């Protein structure tokens, strides 16, 4: 009996190690239509957020997802919608919301979770990359809505790809895609109602784990969020809450209103 119990404990320990490795990945690769880049995840600083993100990665939820929102000199957003071969885009099913972990500052090149207005703990599948330092000023992402949780940092090569996305023209496809970047698509194309295909979208072909070791991002120096305790967000803020209304988790569909966003 003693030998049997030892064997059971050994098997349980082994399964625990395997499970830990599967959810504690520190480096993932975004494979996009504009090139591939790596993101270091801060699994030890924001463990709940990283585990939540990796659940979508392991479920392949981000396969053929799209960048549906671009605000130049601010953010690039994705994770909420997928392209299945035709429009409208399909909504990526969301899992349970994750607890907010606003420990790190929203600096250029970081990835953070999007969430519902005035609901700090509402993040699920959508994320955004900071195109510049968005920790202070307006909007102040380190304090707004309880602070937006930064959970990773992009590679230098990735920043070049984000800059390329940020330079694309934007079009209003309606709903959550009211400022969507498109490739090889012009205002003349929009006026002529030219169909939008995969060649025009900024596609996230897949997000995959490339290094499952814990804390491989230990050499990075993320900036701590020192503002979160100083300016708690008002419960019914109408200021930046409106300007960041697009940082929401999902709408039921995408309308094809091909208008250029100014």
């Amino acid at each position: 009996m003693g030998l049997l119990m030892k064997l059971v404990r050994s098997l349980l320990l082994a399964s625990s190690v395997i499970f830990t490795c599967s959810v504690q990945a520190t480096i993932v690769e975004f494979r996009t239509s504009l090139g591939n880049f790596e993101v270091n995840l801060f699994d030890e600083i924001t463990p709940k957020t990283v585990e939540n993100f990796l659940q979508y990665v392991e479920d392949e939820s981000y396969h053929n997802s799209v960048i549906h929102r671009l605000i130049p000199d601010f953010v690039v957003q994705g994770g909420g919608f997928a392209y299945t071969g035709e429009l409208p885009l399909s909504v990526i099913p969301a899992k349970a919301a994750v607890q907010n972990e606003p420990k790190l500052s929203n600096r250029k090149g970081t990835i953070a979770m999007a969430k519902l207005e005035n609901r700090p703990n509402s993040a699920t599948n959508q994320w955004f990359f900071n195109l510049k330092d968005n920790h202070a000023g307006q909007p102040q992402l380190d304090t707004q809505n309880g602070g937006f949780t930064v959970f990773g940092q992009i590679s230098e090569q990735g920043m070049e790809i984000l800059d390329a996305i940020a330079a694309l023209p934007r079009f209003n496809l309606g709903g959550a895609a009211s400022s969507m970047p498109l490739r090889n698509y012009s205002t003349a194309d929009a006026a002529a109602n030219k169909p939008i295909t995969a060649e025009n979208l900024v596609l996230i072909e897949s997000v995959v784990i490339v290094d499952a070791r814990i804390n491989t991002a230990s050499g990075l120096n993320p900036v701590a969020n020192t503002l979160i305790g100083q300016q708690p967000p008002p419960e019914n803020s109408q200021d930046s809450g409106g300007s960041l209304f697009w940082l929401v988790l999902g709408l039921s569909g995408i309308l094809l209103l091909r208008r250029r966003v100014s």
Side-chain angles (χ1 to χ4, degrees):
M1 180 64 70
L3 181 59
L4 178 60
M5 289 301 297
K6 288 182 180 180
L7 179 59
V8 171
R9 289 173 182 171
S10 296
L11 290 173
L12 288 174
L13 178 60
S15 64
S16 174
V17 170
I18 292 172
F19 177 77
T20 299
C21 289
S22 69
V23 299
Q24 294 279 355
T26 304
I27 301 178
V28 295
E29 183 177 58
F30 280 67
R31 299 173 179 173
T32 84
S33 53
L34 273 75
N36 304 338
F37 59 87
E38 292 184 350
V39 174
N40 289 276
L41 304 179
F42 301 126
D43 53 312
E44 294 192 335
I45 302 175
T46 54
K48 294 178 181 178
T49 305
V50 170
E51 182 175 354
N52 171 76
F53 177 77
L54 289 176
Q55 287 178 359
Y56 292 100
V57 171
E58 293 178 336
D59 288 349
E60 300 185 352
S61 296
Y62 296 137
H63 281 32
N64 294 318
S65 62
V66 301
I67 297 297
H68 69 271
R69 196 72 179 185
L70 161 65
I71 305 297
D73 200 34
F74 186 29
V75 300
V76 164
Q77 184 177 346
F81 303 94
Y83 181 68
T84 58
E86 61 182 4
L87 296 177
L89 300 173
S90 62
V91 176
I92 295 175
K95 306 180 190 298
V98 62
Q99 181 179 336
N100 202 32
E101 297 176 299
K103 300 176 183 179
L104 298 174
S105 187
N106 282 266
R107 303 302 177 103
K108 181 178 179 178
T110 57
I111 183 173
M113 295 303 297
K115 52 189 175 179
L116 294 171
E117 183 181 5
N118 294 326
R119 291 179 58 184
N121 297 310
S122 61
T124 57
N125 56 359
Q126 289 197 36
W127 36 261
F128 62 91
F129 287 103
N130 286 294
L131 294 175
K132 69 175 184 62
D133 291 346
N134 291 318
H135 64 293
Q138 289 297 328
Q140 191 175 77
L141 299 191
D142 280 8
T143 60
Q144 184 182 89
N145 199 1
F148 285 86
T149 297
V150 167
F151 65 97
Q153 181 173 326
I154 200 169
S155 64
E156 183 176 348
Q157 178 187 4
M159 201 65 233
E160 295 176 359
I161 293 175
L162 286 187
D163 288 340
I165 295 173
L168 292 171
R170 297 172 292 149
F171 296 84
N172 186 350
L173 273 64
S178 61
S179 184
M180 187 169 180
L182 293 179
R183 303 179 297 133
N184 307 313
Y185 201 82
S186 66
T187 53
D189 292 331
N193 288 323
K194 180 180 178 180
I196 295 172
T197 69
E199 299 300 319
N200 306 122
L201 302 174
V202 180
L203 284 172
I204 307 295
E205 296 162 359
S206 63
V207 181
V208 297
I209 297 169
V210 295
D211 195 331
R213 291 175 299 163
I214 298 173
N215 202 25
T216 51
S218 59
L220 300 177
N221 296 300
V223 180
N225 182 353
T226 60
L227 300 176
I228 187 63
Q230 300 177 21
Q231 298 179 353
E235 292 185 1
N236 296 304
S237 172
Q238 297 298 321
D239 182 18
S240 50
S243 65
L244 278 184
F245 179 74
W246 54 270
L247 285 176
V248 295
L249 295 176
L251 297 177
S252 59
I254 300 293
L255 301 177
L256 299 182
L257 305 178
R258 297 187 178 90
R259 291 185 292 113
R260 177 72 180 272
V261 177
S262 60

